[in-house]
Amino acid sequence: MNQNRRLALKLAASSLALPGISACSAGASTTEANEQVSAAVARFAALPADTSCLIQADHPSSPWQIAHDADTPRFIGSAVKTFILAQYLKDIEDAKADPTQQLAVDDARRSLGSPILQQLSGTMAPTFVLEAMISHSDNTATDIALSEVSPSRVRKLIADAGLTSTRIPDSTRRLFSYIAGAPYGDDLGWAGMQQIEQGWTAGPMRSPLNDQETMMSSATDMVSWYRQALRGDPFKRPETLTEFKRIQNMADAIAHTVPSDIKAYGKGGSIDWDDFHCLSFPGQMRVAGAPVTFCFTINWTGPDEGVPSMTQQYIAAVASVLNEAALAITG
């Protein structure tokens, strides 16, 4: 199990195409460029997985969007951590959280998939906790931040944004506990996490894509969220949006999928659990001043041996769509 797989390799994209791609644009001059984006989306849709994506360009003179199965909820893994970041920054705005407070790092909230904090104990300032959560997808940092803002208030943020298919867990540890067979609501603790890491389960394993403890959303929801959040809609002060952007710019998926020298914000997610796998990358890039917001998600079942190849194909397909989207705007 590895919920923090890095996006690191690229391959040539497949030339296969599938039906079911929907596109709309304003302005005949963009037709040929949009055809290239549509072809790249079709290559993404042709990956041997359950695929969904949406890319939307808010170009001032000729906005357009291209989608494939964008309304279907899928498991998106750590991509939901964007909502925890936003709520924590809102709490700082509203003086409900102290940015100078030292947050405890200990076994009470330690979780699997924590490349920064798994071996550390002590205290840490919120800024560094949030950075670890986004830049390294550290699940201990996630559970520290989520326990401070509370899952219920993050869910209210999601509801207030009008997102109807997005679900977050009560904590990453409760998610791991539940899909490892524990009753709903149980937290098996750090000792239990260590046992799970060695292959133990509390009962029959469950799919990460479930209706209790999950990390789920649709491409439509995630594109809507990033369009709202990066306009600053959830925040009261410009400096809060600046901080949100600064941290969301640290996600490692950006460097491997977004064209060089284009500013982008986002947060990827992945999981390998039993035979279930996920890769997801929602976010936004700015091309010649125009926001291009996107979400690409695949869920599939199969042996772990196939994960490296699928990961490479996914990265190549996403990079191809984003490159063609950038060219569609810049010409």
Side-chain angles (χ1 to χ4, degrees), residues 50-53 68-77 163-167 207-211 214-222 276 278 280 295 297-300:
D50 294 327
T51 59
S52 61
C53 70
H68 167 69
D69 204 15
D71 293 334
T72 299
R74 303 202 188 281
F75 191 83
I76 64 169
L163 312 181
T164 58
S165 64
T166 303
R167 304 288 183 270
S207 171
L209 192 60
N210 62 73
D211 59 0
T214 191
M215 295 171 160
M216 183 192 302
S217 191
S218 65
T220 298
D221 266 15
M222 296 309 294
F276 180 91
C278 150
S280 183
C295 179
T297 301
I298 62 172
N299 290 178
W300 79 99

PDB file of all heavy atoms in Angstrom, residues 50-53 68-77 163-167 207-211 214-222 276 278 280 295 297-300:
ATOM      1  N   ASP A  50     -11.384   3.150 -15.213  1.00  0.00           N
ATOM      2  CA  ASP A  50     -12.558   4.017 -15.138  1.00  0.00           C
ATOM      3  C   ASP A  50     -12.046   5.455 -15.100  1.00  0.00           C
ATOM      4  O   ASP A  50     -11.426   5.876 -14.118  1.00  0.00           O
ATOM      5  CB  ASP A  50     -13.378   3.706 -13.891  1.00  0.00           C
ATOM      6  CG  ASP A  50     -13.991   2.314 -13.932  1.00  0.00           C
ATOM      7  OD1 ASP A  50     -14.329   1.857 -15.036  1.00  0.00           O
ATOM      8  OD2 ASP A  50     -14.116   1.697 -12.858  1.00  0.00           O
ATOM      9  N   THR A  51     -12.284   6.187 -16.165  1.00  0.00           N
ATOM     10  CA  THR A  51     -11.691   7.513 -16.334  1.00  0.00           C
ATOM     11  C   THR A  51     -12.755   8.599 -16.281  1.00  0.00           C
ATOM     12  O   THR A  51     -13.897   8.399 -16.694  1.00  0.00           O
ATOM     13  CB  THR A  51     -10.959   7.609 -17.675  1.00  0.00           C
ATOM     14  OG1 THR A  51     -11.891   7.345 -18.737  1.00  0.00           O
ATOM     15  CG2 THR A  51      -9.822   6.605 -17.758  1.00  0.00           C
ATOM     16  N   SER A  52     -12.371   9.751 -15.772  1.00  0.00           N
ATOM     17  CA  SER A  52     -13.226  10.930 -15.848  1.00  0.00           C
ATOM     18  C   SER A  52     -12.346  12.155 -15.854  1.00  0.00           C
ATOM     19  O   SER A  52     -11.296  12.185 -15.203  1.00  0.00           O
ATOM     20  CB  SER A  52     -14.219  10.982 -14.676  1.00  0.00           C
ATOM     21  OG  SER A  52     -13.547  11.037 -13.442  1.00  0.00           O
ATOM     22  N   CYS A  53     -12.766  13.168 -16.589  1.00  0.00           N
ATOM     23  CA  CYS A  53     -11.990  14.407 -16.608  1.00  0.00           C
ATOM     24  C   CYS A  53     -12.862  15.560 -17.075  1.00  0.00           C
ATOM     25  O   CYS A  53     -13.898  15.382 -17.719  1.00  0.00           O
ATOM     26  CB  CYS A  53     -10.742  14.281 -17.482  1.00  0.00           C
ATOM     27  SG  CYS A  53     -11.060  14.167 -19.245  1.00  0.00           S
ATOM     28  N   HIS A  68     -15.129  14.404 -20.108  1.00  0.00           N
ATOM     29  CA  HIS A  68     -15.409  12.982 -20.290  1.00  0.00           C
ATOM     30  C   HIS A  68     -15.897  12.414 -18.962  1.00  0.00           C
ATOM     31  O   HIS A  68     -15.155  12.400 -17.975  1.00  0.00           O
ATOM     32  CB  HIS A  68     -14.151  12.222 -20.733  1.00  0.00           C
ATOM     33  CG  HIS A  68     -14.305  10.728 -20.629  1.00  0.00           C
ATOM     34  ND1 HIS A  68     -15.150  10.018 -21.457  1.00  0.00           N
ATOM     35  CD2 HIS A  68     -13.762   9.823 -19.771  1.00  0.00           C
ATOM     36  CE1 HIS A  68     -15.098   8.739 -21.132  1.00  0.00           C
ATOM     37  NE2 HIS A  68     -14.276   8.591 -20.112  1.00  0.00           N
ATOM     38  N   ASP A  69     -17.152  12.006 -18.912  1.00  0.00           N
ATOM     39  CA  ASP A  69     -17.746  11.379 -17.722  1.00  0.00           C
ATOM     40  C   ASP A  69     -17.469  12.216 -16.466  1.00  0.00           C
ATOM     41  O   ASP A  69     -17.133  11.678 -15.405  1.00  0.00           O
ATOM     42  CB  ASP A  69     -17.183   9.966 -17.553  1.00  0.00           C
ATOM     43  CG  ASP A  69     -18.109   9.066 -16.752  1.00  0.00           C
ATOM     44  OD1 ASP A  69     -19.281   9.426 -16.576  1.00  0.00           O
ATOM     45  OD2 ASP A  69     -17.645   8.007 -16.279  1.00  0.00           O
ATOM     46  N   ALA A  70     -17.632  13.524 -16.590  1.00  0.00           N
ATOM     47  CA  ALA A  70     -17.171  14.439 -15.536  1.00  0.00           C
ATOM     48  C   ALA A  70     -18.032  14.419 -14.285  1.00  0.00           C
ATOM     49  O   ALA A  70     -17.564  14.845 -13.216  1.00  0.00           O
ATOM     50  CB  ALA A  70     -17.109  15.865 -16.086  1.00  0.00           C
ATOM     51  N   ASP A  71     -19.263  13.958 -14.371  1.00  0.00           N
ATOM     52  CA  ASP A  71     -20.156  14.007 -13.213  1.00  0.00           C
ATOM     53  C   ASP A  71     -20.096  12.749 -12.344  1.00  0.00           C
ATOM     54  O   ASP A  71     -20.719  12.697 -11.282  1.00  0.00           O
ATOM     55  CB  ASP A  71     -21.607  14.222 -13.671  1.00  0.00           C
ATOM     56  CG  ASP A  71     -21.823  15.591 -14.295  1.00  0.00           C
ATOM     57  OD1 ASP A  71     -21.074  16.517 -13.946  1.00  0.00           O
ATOM     58  OD2 ASP A  71     -22.735  15.716 -15.137  1.00  0.00           O
ATOM     59  N   THR A  72     -19.365  11.731 -12.777  1.00  0.00           N
ATOM     60  CA  THR A  72     -19.306  10.477 -12.027  1.00  0.00           C
ATOM     61  C   THR A  72     -18.354  10.607 -10.840  1.00  0.00           C
ATOM     62  O   THR A  72     -17.171  10.920 -11.021  1.00  0.00           O
ATOM     63  CB  THR A  72     -18.841   9.327 -12.919  1.00  0.00           C
ATOM     64  OG1 THR A  72     -19.769   9.162 -13.995  1.00  0.00           O
ATOM     65  CG2 THR A  72     -18.754   8.023 -12.134  1.00  0.00           C
ATOM     66  N   PRO A  73     -18.817  10.363  -9.608  1.00  0.00           N
ATOM     67  CA  PRO A  73     -17.907  10.408  -8.456  1.00  0.00           C
ATOM     68  C   PRO A  73     -16.926   9.238  -8.500  1.00  0.00           C
ATOM     69  O   PRO A  73     -17.320   8.104  -8.780  1.00  0.00           O
ATOM     70  CB  PRO A  73     -18.851  10.298  -7.247  1.00  0.00           C
ATOM     71  CG  PRO A  73     -20.215  10.595  -7.771  1.00  0.00           C
ATOM     72  CD  PRO A  73     -20.213  10.127  -9.194  1.00  0.00           C
ATOM     73  N   ARG A  74     -15.675   9.534  -8.231  1.00  0.00           N
ATOM     74  CA  ARG A  74     -14.650   8.505  -8.161  1.00  0.00           C
ATOM     75  C   ARG A  74     -13.769   8.762  -6.937  1.00  0.00           C
ATOM     76  O   ARG A  74     -13.783   9.854  -6.360  1.00  0.00           O
ATOM     77  CB  ARG A  74     -13.797   8.495  -9.435  1.00  0.00           C
ATOM     78  CG  ARG A  74     -14.601   8.291 -10.709  1.00  0.00           C
ATOM     79  CD  ARG A  74     -13.751   7.760 -11.841  1.00  0.00           C
ATOM     80  NE  ARG A  74     -14.481   7.734 -13.100  1.00  0.00           N
ATOM     81  CZ  ARG A  74     -15.362   6.830 -13.454  1.00  0.00           C
ATOM     82  NH1 ARG A  74     -15.650   5.840 -12.626  1.00  0.00           N
ATOM     83  NH2 ARG A  74     -15.984   6.885 -14.629  1.00  0.00           N
ATOM     84  N   PHE A  75     -12.998   7.768  -6.554  1.00  0.00           N
ATOM     85  CA  PHE A  75     -12.049   7.957  -5.461  1.00  0.00           C
ATOM     86  C   PHE A  75     -10.923   8.853  -5.961  1.00  0.00           C
ATOM     87  O   PHE A  75     -10.321   8.598  -7.014  1.00  0.00           O
ATOM     88  CB  PHE A  75     -11.490   6.607  -5.009  1.00  0.00           C
ATOM     89  CG  PHE A  75     -10.705   6.688  -3.730  1.00  0.00           C
ATOM     90  CD1 PHE A  75     -11.348   6.672  -2.504  1.00  0.00           C
ATOM     91  CD2 PHE A  75      -9.318   6.785  -3.749  1.00  0.00           C
ATOM     92  CE1 PHE A  75     -10.630   6.754  -1.320  1.00  0.00           C
ATOM     93  CE2 PHE A  75      -8.589   6.866  -2.581  1.00  0.00           C
ATOM     94  CZ  PHE A  75      -9.242   6.856  -1.359  1.00  0.00           C
ATOM     95  N   ILE A  76     -10.616   9.917  -5.206  1.00  0.00           N
ATOM     96  CA  ILE A  76      -9.577  10.863  -5.630  1.00  0.00           C
ATOM     97  C   ILE A  76      -8.438  10.961  -4.619  1.00  0.00           C
ATOM     98  O   ILE A  76      -7.502  11.739  -4.797  1.00  0.00           O
ATOM     99  CB  ILE A  76     -10.161  12.265  -5.903  1.00  0.00           C
ATOM    100  CG1 ILE A  76     -10.733  12.889  -4.629  1.00  0.00           C
ATOM    101  CG2 ILE A  76     -11.199  12.211  -7.008  1.00  0.00           C
ATOM    102  CD1 ILE A  76     -11.077  14.369  -4.786  1.00  0.00           C
ATOM    103  N   GLY A  77      -8.499  10.175  -3.537  1.00  0.00           N
ATOM    104  CA  GLY A  77      -7.401  10.137  -2.579  1.00  0.00           C
ATOM    105  C   GLY A  77      -7.098  11.496  -1.980  1.00  0.00           C
ATOM    106  O   GLY A  77      -7.983  12.292  -1.662  1.00  0.00           O
ATOM    107  N   LEU A 163     -20.774  21.722  -3.790  1.00  0.00           N
ATOM    108  CA  LEU A 163     -20.218  20.471  -4.290  1.00  0.00           C
ATOM    109  C   LEU A 163     -21.039  19.313  -3.729  1.00  0.00           C
ATOM    110  O   LEU A 163     -21.075  19.099  -2.520  1.00  0.00           O
ATOM    111  CB  LEU A 163     -18.751  20.346  -3.883  1.00  0.00           C
ATOM    112  CG  LEU A 163     -17.883  21.593  -4.156  1.00  0.00           C
ATOM    113  CD1 LEU A 163     -16.450  21.332  -3.740  1.00  0.00           C
ATOM    114  CD2 LEU A 163     -17.978  22.024  -5.616  1.00  0.00           C
ATOM    115  N   THR A 164     -21.675  18.569  -4.590  1.00  0.00           N
ATOM    116  CA  THR A 164     -22.646  17.572  -4.141  1.00  0.00           C
ATOM    117  C   THR A 164     -22.111  16.143  -4.133  1.00  0.00           C
ATOM    118  O   THR A 164     -22.739  15.256  -3.544  1.00  0.00           O
ATOM    119  CB  THR A 164     -23.900  17.612  -5.030  1.00  0.00           C
ATOM    120  OG1 THR A 164     -23.527  17.372  -6.397  1.00  0.00           O
ATOM    121  CG2 THR A 164     -24.572  18.973  -4.935  1.00  0.00           C
ATOM    122  N   SER A 165     -20.981  15.898  -4.773  1.00  0.00           N
ATOM    123  CA  SER A 165     -20.475  14.523  -4.846  1.00  0.00           C
ATOM    124  C   SER A 165     -19.170  14.335  -4.083  1.00  0.00           C
ATOM    125  O   SER A 165     -18.552  13.277  -4.179  1.00  0.00           O
ATOM    126  CB  SER A 165     -20.267  14.119  -6.313  1.00  0.00           C
ATOM    127  OG  SER A 165     -19.266  14.912  -6.919  1.00  0.00           O
ATOM    128  N   THR A 166     -18.753  15.333  -3.324  1.00  0.00           N
ATOM    129  CA  THR A 166     -17.458  15.301  -2.649  1.00  0.00           C
ATOM    130  C   THR A 166     -17.601  14.782  -1.231  1.00  0.00           C
ATOM    131  O   THR A 166     -18.455  15.253  -0.472  1.00  0.00           O
ATOM    132  CB  THR A 166     -16.821  16.707  -2.628  1.00  0.00           C
ATOM    133  OG1 THR A 166     -16.702  17.179  -3.982  1.00  0.00           O
ATOM    134  CG2 THR A 166     -15.457  16.689  -1.976  1.00  0.00           C
ATOM    135  N   ARG A 167     -16.762  13.835  -0.857  1.00  0.00           N
ATOM    136  CA  ARG A 167     -16.779  13.245   0.483  1.00  0.00           C
ATOM    137  C   ARG A 167     -15.359  13.208   1.041  1.00  0.00           C
ATOM    138  O   ARG A 167     -14.405  12.905   0.325  1.00  0.00           O
ATOM    139  CB  ARG A 167     -17.330  11.818   0.433  1.00  0.00           C
ATOM    140  CG  ARG A 167     -18.716  11.686  -0.187  1.00  0.00           C
ATOM    141  CD  ARG A 167     -19.811  12.233   0.717  1.00  0.00           C
ATOM    142  NE  ARG A 167     -21.121  12.025   0.139  1.00  0.00           N
ATOM    143  CZ  ARG A 167     -21.733  12.902  -0.675  1.00  0.00           C
ATOM    144  NH1 ARG A 167     -21.119  14.038  -0.991  1.00  0.00           N
ATOM    145  NH2 ARG A 167     -22.923  12.635  -1.173  1.00  0.00           N
ATOM    146  N   SER A 207     -13.493  -1.689  -0.125  1.00  0.00           N
ATOM    147  CA  SER A 207     -12.986  -0.803  -1.167  1.00  0.00           C
ATOM    148  C   SER A 207     -12.862   0.622  -0.628  1.00  0.00           C
ATOM    149  O   SER A 207     -13.716   1.075   0.149  1.00  0.00           O
ATOM    150  CB  SER A 207     -13.930  -0.799  -2.365  1.00  0.00           C
ATOM    151  OG  SER A 207     -13.556   0.209  -3.296  1.00  0.00           O
ATOM    152  N   PRO A 208     -11.838   1.366  -1.037  1.00  0.00           N
ATOM    153  CA  PRO A 208     -11.769   2.783  -0.672  1.00  0.00           C
ATOM    154  C   PRO A 208     -12.953   3.584  -1.217  1.00  0.00           C
ATOM    155  O   PRO A 208     -13.295   4.642  -0.667  1.00  0.00           O
ATOM    156  CB  PRO A 208     -10.456   3.244  -1.307  1.00  0.00           C
ATOM    157  CG  PRO A 208      -9.625   2.007  -1.404  1.00  0.00           C
ATOM    158  CD  PRO A 208     -10.618   0.920  -1.724  1.00  0.00           C
ATOM    159  N   LEU A 209     -13.571   3.088  -2.271  1.00  0.00           N
ATOM    160  CA  LEU A 209     -14.739   3.752  -2.851  1.00  0.00           C
ATOM    161  C   LEU A 209     -15.978   3.188  -2.177  1.00  0.00           C
ATOM    162  O   LEU A 209     -16.517   2.154  -2.573  1.00  0.00           O
ATOM    163  CB  LEU A 209     -14.780   3.517  -4.360  1.00  0.00           C
ATOM    164  CG  LEU A 209     -15.752   4.356  -5.186  1.00  0.00           C
ATOM    165  CD1 LEU A 209     -15.446   5.831  -5.056  1.00  0.00           C
ATOM    166  CD2 LEU A 209     -15.708   3.928  -6.647  1.00  0.00           C
ATOM    167  N   ASN A 210     -16.422   3.867  -1.105  1.00  0.00           N
ATOM    168  CA  ASN A 210     -17.543   3.375  -0.315  1.00  0.00           C
ATOM    169  C   ASN A 210     -18.379   4.555   0.159  1.00  0.00           C
ATOM    170  O   ASN A 210     -18.054   5.708  -0.137  1.00  0.00           O
ATOM    171  CB  ASN A 210     -17.028   2.550   0.874  1.00  0.00           C
ATOM    172  CG  ASN A 210     -16.168   3.366   1.815  1.00  0.00           C
ATOM    173  OD1 ASN A 210     -16.660   4.209   2.567  1.00  0.00           O
ATOM    174  ND2 ASN A 210     -14.849   3.128   1.787  1.00  0.00           N
ATOM    175  N   ASP A 211     -19.438   4.279   0.901  1.00  0.00           N
ATOM    176  CA  ASP A 211     -20.337   5.364   1.317  1.00  0.00           C
ATOM    177  C   ASP A 211     -20.174   5.731   2.799  1.00  0.00           C
ATOM    178  O   ASP A 211     -21.048   6.385   3.372  1.00  0.00           O
ATOM    179  CB  ASP A 211     -21.798   5.001   1.035  1.00  0.00           C
ATOM    180  CG  ASP A 211     -22.240   3.724   1.752  1.00  0.00           C
ATOM    181  OD1 ASP A 211     -21.403   3.129   2.476  1.00  0.00           O
ATOM    182  OD2 ASP A 211     -23.407   3.331   1.590  1.00  0.00           O
ATOM    183  N   THR A 214     -14.328   7.698   3.019  1.00  0.00           N
ATOM    184  CA  THR A 214     -13.796   7.708   1.668  1.00  0.00           C
ATOM    185  C   THR A 214     -13.233   9.077   1.331  1.00  0.00           C
ATOM    186  O   THR A 214     -13.350  10.038   2.104  1.00  0.00           O
ATOM    187  CB  THR A 214     -14.892   7.307   0.659  1.00  0.00           C
ATOM    188  OG1 THR A 214     -14.314   7.076  -0.621  1.00  0.00           O
ATOM    189  CG2 THR A 214     -15.977   8.370   0.565  1.00  0.00           C
ATOM    190  N   MET A 215     -12.607   9.165   0.183  1.00  0.00           N
ATOM    191  CA  MET A 215     -12.127  10.425  -0.392  1.00  0.00           C
ATOM    192  C   MET A 215     -12.640  10.442  -1.826  1.00  0.00           C
ATOM    193  O   MET A 215     -12.017   9.921  -2.729  1.00  0.00           O
ATOM    194  CB  MET A 215     -10.600  10.486  -0.362  1.00  0.00           C
ATOM    195  CG  MET A 215      -9.986  10.515   1.023  1.00  0.00           C
ATOM    196  SD  MET A 215      -8.180  10.326   0.934  1.00  0.00           S
ATOM    197  CE  MET A 215      -7.685  10.993   2.538  1.00  0.00           C
ATOM    198  N   MET A 216     -13.788  11.033  -2.030  1.00  0.00           N
ATOM    199  CA  MET A 216     -14.521  10.891  -3.285  1.00  0.00           C
ATOM    200  C   MET A 216     -14.918  12.251  -3.834  1.00  0.00           C
ATOM    201  O   MET A 216     -15.228  13.174  -3.077  1.00  0.00           O
ATOM    202  CB  MET A 216     -15.776  10.048  -3.035  1.00  0.00           C
ATOM    203  CG  MET A 216     -16.611   9.757  -4.270  1.00  0.00           C
ATOM    204  SD  MET A 216     -18.230   9.061  -3.833  1.00  0.00           S
ATOM    205  CE  MET A 216     -17.753   7.599  -2.917  1.00  0.00           C
ATOM    206  N   SER A 217     -14.908  12.358  -5.149  1.00  0.00           N
ATOM    207  CA  SER A 217     -15.461  13.540  -5.795  1.00  0.00           C
ATOM    208  C   SER A 217     -15.602  13.278  -7.289  1.00  0.00           C
ATOM    209  O   SER A 217     -15.120  12.265  -7.802  1.00  0.00           O
ATOM    210  CB  SER A 217     -14.586  14.775  -5.563  1.00  0.00           C
ATOM    211  OG  SER A 217     -15.266  15.958  -5.970  1.00  0.00           O
ATOM    212  N   SER A 218     -16.246  14.201  -7.961  1.00  0.00           N
ATOM    213  CA  SER A 218     -16.347  14.164  -9.423  1.00  0.00           C
ATOM    214  C   SER A 218     -15.435  15.236 -10.006  1.00  0.00           C
ATOM    215  O   SER A 218     -15.049  16.200  -9.335  1.00  0.00           O
ATOM    216  CB  SER A 218     -17.785  14.432  -9.862  1.00  0.00           C
ATOM    217  OG  SER A 218     -18.171  15.756  -9.502  1.00  0.00           O
ATOM    218  N   ALA A 219     -15.107  15.084 -11.274  1.00  0.00           N
ATOM    219  CA  ALA A 219     -14.324  16.112 -11.955  1.00  0.00           C
ATOM    220  C   ALA A 219     -15.088  17.438 -11.972  1.00  0.00           C
ATOM    221  O   ALA A 219     -14.492  18.513 -11.823  1.00  0.00           O
ATOM    222  CB  ALA A 219     -13.993  15.653 -13.378  1.00  0.00           C
ATOM    223  N   THR A 220     -16.388  17.371 -12.128  1.00  0.00           N
ATOM    224  CA  THR A 220     -17.202  18.591 -12.127  1.00  0.00           C
ATOM    225  C   THR A 220     -17.055  19.344 -10.809  1.00  0.00           C
ATOM    226  O   THR A 220     -16.870  20.570 -10.788  1.00  0.00           O
ATOM    227  CB  THR A 220     -18.675  18.241 -12.382  1.00  0.00           C
ATOM    228  OG1 THR A 220     -18.795  17.639 -13.677  1.00  0.00           O
ATOM    229  CG2 THR A 220     -19.553  19.483 -12.316  1.00  0.00           C
ATOM    230  N   ASP A 221     -17.157  18.622  -9.697  1.00  0.00           N
ATOM    231  CA  ASP A 221     -17.011  19.254  -8.381  1.00  0.00           C
ATOM    232  C   ASP A 221     -15.626  19.875  -8.209  1.00  0.00           C
ATOM    233  O   ASP A 221     -15.492  21.012  -7.723  1.00  0.00           O
ATOM    234  CB  ASP A 221     -17.217  18.220  -7.273  1.00  0.00           C
ATOM    235  CG  ASP A 221     -18.650  18.171  -6.769  1.00  0.00           C
ATOM    236  OD1 ASP A 221     -19.543  18.717  -7.448  1.00  0.00           O
ATOM    237  OD2 ASP A 221     -18.884  17.579  -5.701  1.00  0.00           O
ATOM    238  N   MET A 222     -14.584  19.143  -8.582  1.00  0.00           N
ATOM    239  CA  MET A 222     -13.228  19.625  -8.322  1.00  0.00           C
ATOM    240  C   MET A 222     -12.880  20.834  -9.191  1.00  0.00           C
ATOM    241  O   MET A 222     -12.206  21.756  -8.731  1.00  0.00           O
ATOM    242  CB  MET A 222     -12.213  18.505  -8.523  1.00  0.00           C
ATOM    243  CG  MET A 222     -12.371  17.348  -7.536  1.00  0.00           C
ATOM    244  SD  MET A 222     -12.442  17.851  -5.779  1.00  0.00           S
ATOM    245  CE  MET A 222     -10.779  18.494  -5.535  1.00  0.00           C
ATOM    246  N   PHE A 276      -7.385  -2.416  -5.674  1.00  0.00           N
ATOM    247  CA  PHE A 276      -7.974  -1.141  -6.091  1.00  0.00           C
ATOM    248  C   PHE A 276      -6.887  -0.075  -6.180  1.00  0.00           C
ATOM    249  O   PHE A 276      -6.038   0.038  -5.280  1.00  0.00           O
ATOM    250  CB  PHE A 276      -9.053  -0.698  -5.093  1.00  0.00           C
ATOM    251  CG  PHE A 276      -9.706   0.621  -5.450  1.00  0.00           C
ATOM    252  CD1 PHE A 276     -10.844   0.644  -6.241  1.00  0.00           C
ATOM    253  CD2 PHE A 276      -9.181   1.824  -5.002  1.00  0.00           C
ATOM    254  CE1 PHE A 276     -11.447   1.848  -6.572  1.00  0.00           C
ATOM    255  CE2 PHE A 276      -9.779   3.031  -5.327  1.00  0.00           C
ATOM    256  CZ  PHE A 276     -10.914   3.042  -6.117  1.00  0.00           C
ATOM    257  N   CYS A 278      -5.958   4.144  -7.607  1.00  0.00           N
ATOM    258  CA  CYS A 278      -6.475   5.457  -7.992  1.00  0.00           C
ATOM    259  C   CYS A 278      -5.327   6.399  -8.301  1.00  0.00           C
ATOM    260  O   CYS A 278      -4.278   6.371  -7.636  1.00  0.00           O
ATOM    261  CB  CYS A 278      -7.321   6.037  -6.863  1.00  0.00           C
ATOM    262  SG  CYS A 278      -7.325   7.857  -6.757  1.00  0.00           S
ATOM    263  N   SER A 280      -5.351  10.726  -9.270  1.00  0.00           N
ATOM    264  CA  SER A 280      -6.192  11.883  -9.532  1.00  0.00           C
ATOM    265  C   SER A 280      -5.370  13.152  -9.426  1.00  0.00           C
ATOM    266  O   SER A 280      -4.464  13.238  -8.593  1.00  0.00           O
ATOM    267  CB  SER A 280      -7.361  11.947  -8.530  1.00  0.00           C
ATOM    268  OG  SER A 280      -8.231  13.023  -8.820  1.00  0.00           O
ATOM    269  N   CYS A 295      -9.495  18.531 -13.919  1.00  0.00           N
ATOM    270  CA  CYS A 295      -9.432  17.378 -13.018  1.00  0.00           C
ATOM    271  C   CYS A 295      -9.347  16.121 -13.870  1.00  0.00           C
ATOM    272  O   CYS A 295     -10.141  15.955 -14.807  1.00  0.00           O
ATOM    273  CB  CYS A 295     -10.655  17.306 -12.107  1.00  0.00           C
ATOM    274  SG  CYS A 295     -10.620  15.874 -10.981  1.00  0.00           S
ATOM    275  N   THR A 297      -9.044  11.941 -13.285  1.00  0.00           N
ATOM    276  CA  THR A 297      -9.101  10.853 -12.302  1.00  0.00           C
ATOM    277  C   THR A 297      -9.237   9.518 -13.009  1.00  0.00           C
ATOM    278  O   THR A 297     -10.006   9.391 -13.970  1.00  0.00           O
ATOM    279  CB  THR A 297     -10.293  11.045 -11.350  1.00  0.00           C
ATOM    280  OG1 THR A 297     -10.167  12.293 -10.669  1.00  0.00           O
ATOM    281  CG2 THR A 297     -10.339   9.927 -10.305  1.00  0.00           C
ATOM    282  N   ILE A 298      -8.478   8.527 -12.513  1.00  0.00           N
ATOM    283  CA  ILE A 298      -8.692   7.145 -12.942  1.00  0.00           C
ATOM    284  C   ILE A 298      -8.787   6.255 -11.713  1.00  0.00           C
ATOM    285  O   ILE A 298      -8.056   6.429 -10.742  1.00  0.00           O
ATOM    286  CB  ILE A 298      -7.592   6.631 -13.897  1.00  0.00           C
ATOM    287  CG1 ILE A 298      -6.215   6.638 -13.221  1.00  0.00           C
ATOM    288  CG2 ILE A 298      -7.564   7.438 -15.188  1.00  0.00           C
ATOM    289  CD1 ILE A 298      -5.122   5.959 -14.062  1.00  0.00           C
ATOM    290  N   ASN A 299      -9.712   5.331 -11.738  1.00  0.00           N
ATOM    291  CA  ASN A 299      -9.829   4.243 -10.771  1.00  0.00           C
ATOM    292  C   ASN A 299      -9.756   2.941 -11.555  1.00  0.00           C
ATOM    293  O   ASN A 299     -10.345   2.834 -12.638  1.00  0.00           O
ATOM    294  CB  ASN A 299     -11.163   4.288 -10.024  1.00  0.00           C
ATOM    295  CG  ASN A 299     -11.291   5.449  -9.041  1.00  0.00           C
ATOM    296  OD1 ASN A 299     -12.341   5.613  -8.411  1.00  0.00           O
ATOM    297  ND2 ASN A 299     -10.277   6.275  -8.900  1.00  0.00           N
ATOM    298  N   TRP A 300      -9.044   1.946 -11.018  1.00  0.00           N
ATOM    299  CA  TRP A 300      -9.000   0.659 -11.690  1.00  0.00           C
ATOM    300  C   TRP A 300      -8.679  -0.439 -10.689  1.00  0.00           C
ATOM    301  O   TRP A 300      -8.214  -0.177  -9.583  1.00  0.00           O
ATOM    302  CB  TRP A 300      -7.995   0.671 -12.835  1.00  0.00           C
ATOM    303  CG  TRP A 300      -6.545   0.532 -12.474  1.00  0.00           C
ATOM    304  CD1 TRP A 300      -5.784  -0.609 -12.518  1.00  0.00           C
ATOM    305  CD2 TRP A 300      -5.645   1.573 -12.041  1.00  0.00           C
ATOM    306  NE1 TRP A 300      -4.485  -0.343 -12.147  1.00  0.00           N
ATOM    307  CE2 TRP A 300      -4.373   0.991 -11.842  1.00  0.00           C
ATOM    308  CE3 TRP A 300      -5.799   2.938 -11.789  1.00  0.00           C
ATOM    309  CZ2 TRP A 300      -3.263   1.714 -11.412  1.00  0.00           C
ATOM    310  CZ3 TRP A 300      -4.698   3.670 -11.358  1.00  0.00           C
ATOM    311  CH2 TRP A 300      -3.455   3.055 -11.175  1.00  0.00           C
TER     312      TRP A 300
END
